[in-house]
Amino acid sequence: MDFTLNEEQKMFRETIYRFAKEQIVPLCEEADLKGEFSFEIWKKMAEMGLLGLPYPEEYGGSGADFVTCCLAGEAMGHAGVDGGHTLAWGAHTYLCGADILLHGTHEQKLKYLPKIAAGEWIGCMGLTEPGCGSDAGALTTTAVRKGDRYVLNGSKTFITNAPVADVFVIFATLDKGKKHKGITCFIVEKGTPGLATGKPMHKMGCRCSTTSEVYLEDCEIPLENCLGGEYNGWNIALGGVEWDRSILLSPFLGGAMAMIDGCSRYANERYAFGRPIGDFQSIQNRIADMKVCLEVSKLAVYRVATSKDAGKSLNPLLAAVNKMYIGDRGFEISSSAVDLFGGYGYIHEYPVERGMRDSKLGQLGGGTSDIMRMIVARAMLR
Ligand SMILES: Cc1cc2nc3c(=O)[nH]c(=O)nc-3n(C[C@H](O)[C@H](O)[C@H](O)COP(=O)(O)OP(=O)(O)OC[C@H]3O[C@@H](n4cnc5c(N)ncnc54)[C@H](O)[C@@H]3O)c2cc1C
């Protein structure tokens, strides 16, 4: 496989990098300190076309391929955009919007995607529940068909963007007896009676993305809000993994690049025992190890993106390898960066502190590293 970027891709990445550096990053530090989602940043992302990147033009997007979407995430992370706003971008454009793009009817796409692409409506996706995350197939939120409506009951937790969302893609079961095969996907709009969100959760990292519970109490939605057909929810959830284990990982790549750049500069500037700390073998090893992890992670992400662009379906084993490797190595790189900065690494003013908090999510969200190991081992031992 050839992962060399063409001129157009290089220019696109550079444009997003500059835009993010000049217009978004200056707003990120304060937003992270306050732990607030910034509508100002959101508006800028929308104007730049980032919120509808993969949707066809007729639905308000620019029809970007997987590699281009990954380049956008990588460029934002590299410029220094915080993990919260890139997570909000991922949940909105891919977890919510891409489910509608891939499984929606033409009418659903026309109704939701242009507003999602314009940032006018914010999207979220609710699969995880208070009682089950890793074992998502055991979800208990129910949907019952009554005449021309579905009635939803249950709750979701850890839902990115929920407190600010207008469009909720919700997974519920039509038949608990069928286990994961009973799962069906629905679109619920803000303001629907019976839909409520909890208080934003106070998080360790990715603090600018808002996260909360979602409550559904006798929440009635029209039949046309079923997404992708009854009993097709599990396939939709598994399809989301393709975006989750490529594009949503790309900001972590960029974040690691920013940390390695910062560490290299710091190693030249910071003196100890009369010489730059970069003269010490242990510091050199640290930087070399980070760089090796980054290069392998890049190969992993762009291998998935390139094969998706070639029309191949994702190999779940390789997707799990990707998610585990990048999740674990991303946190390792950021933790190593904090070590390299010494005491300053622990202080908020230095971006490595935020990077370490943000990167921890790579090992938890979208399936934990334990679960990825389990998927890999099961495939090997079959
Ligand atoms: C900031 C944030 C944002 C999120 N955004 C969303 C979102 O937008 N939408 C959404 O639906 N979800 C979202 N999630 C949920 C996330 O995907 C889950 O938290 C994750 O899948 C783990 O589920 P859990 O928290 O229930 O952990 P559990 O499943 O309870 O796991 C607890 C521990 O047990 C381990 N474990 C469980 N089963 C096994 C096993 N079989 N073998 C080995 N170890 C095992 C896990 O690895 C973990 O260490 C988000 C989470 C966070 C923290």
Side-chain angles (χ1 to χ4, degrees), residues 23-270:
Q23 299 204 40
I24 301 189
V25 174
L27 304 170
C28 289
E29 193 186 327
E30 199 190 332
D32 180 67
L33 259 183
K34 290 185 184 160
E36 275 178 11
F37 174 78
S38 160
F39 286 95
E40 192 182 348
I41 290 179
W42 198 246
K43 193 162 169 268
K44 286 174 187 284
M45 282 182 169
E47 284 164 2
M48 197 60 189
L50 286 164
L51 303 184
L53 215 47
Y55 316 151
E57 281 178 26
E58 70 170 313
Y59 302 127
S62 46
D65 58 16
F66 263 71
V67 168
T68 305
C69 293
C70 288
L71 288 173
E74 183 194 299
M76 284 194 278
H78 193 189
V81 178
D82 65 282
H85 284 101
T86 52
L87 176 63
W89 167 74
H92 167 89
T93 305
Y94 304 101
L95 299 185
C96 172
D99 278 349
I100 297 174
L101 174 69
L102 296 179
H103 305 283
T105 60
H106 178 60
E107 288 70 31
Q108 286 171 332
K109 291 181 206 179
L110 270 183
K111 179 171 183 190
Y112 296 106
L113 293 182
K115 287 201 163 65
I116 288 176
E120 226 173 285
W121 282 354
I122 298 179
C124 71
M125 184 280 293
L127 177 65
T128 305
E129 299 189 348
C132 62
S134 303
D135 187 11
L139 61 78
T140 59
T141 296
T142 54
V144 176
R145 193 170 166 163
K146 269 195 189 158
D148 62 350
R149 328 283 290 166
Y150 291 105
V151 185
L152 271 52
N153 275 290
S155 64
K156 301 286 169 183
T157 194
F158 301 135
I159 308 308
T160 301
N161 292 344
V164 291
D166 303 278
V167 185
F168 297 68
V169 164
I170 296 288
F171 291 85
T173 178
L174 276 172
D175 183 348
K176 277 189 199 166
K178 287 192 182 342
K179 297 191 176 160
H180 65 279
K181 291 185 180 155
I183 297 176
T184 302
C185 194
F186 301 93
I187 304 173
V188 187
E189 294 178 20
K190 180 182 175 180
T192 307
L195 170 73
T197 55
K199 260 175 55 182
M201 292 166 166
H202 186 78
K203 303 194 295 298
M204 171 198 285
C206 296
R207 286 164 46 80
C208 302
S209 67
T210 52
T211 314
S212 76
E213 299 211 316
V214 175
Y215 308 108
L216 298 141
E217 203 182 326
D218 292 329
C219 179
E220 292 193 16
I221 54 167
L223 293 186
E224 68 258 24
N225 281 26
C226 176
L227 180 64
E230 292 186 348
Y231 302 106
N232 194 29
W234 191 242
N235 288 333
I236 296 177
L238 291 184
V241 158
E242 299 193 337
W243 306 78
D244 213 13
R245 293 176 194 169
S246 57
I247 300 169
L248 263 72
L249 292 173
S250 60
F252 288 104
L253 284 185
M257 287 172 192
M259 273 186 258
I260 296 172
D261 291 350
C263 285
S264 303
R265 273 197 306 276
Y266 194 73
N268 285 328
E269 288 162 7
R270 176 75 178 173

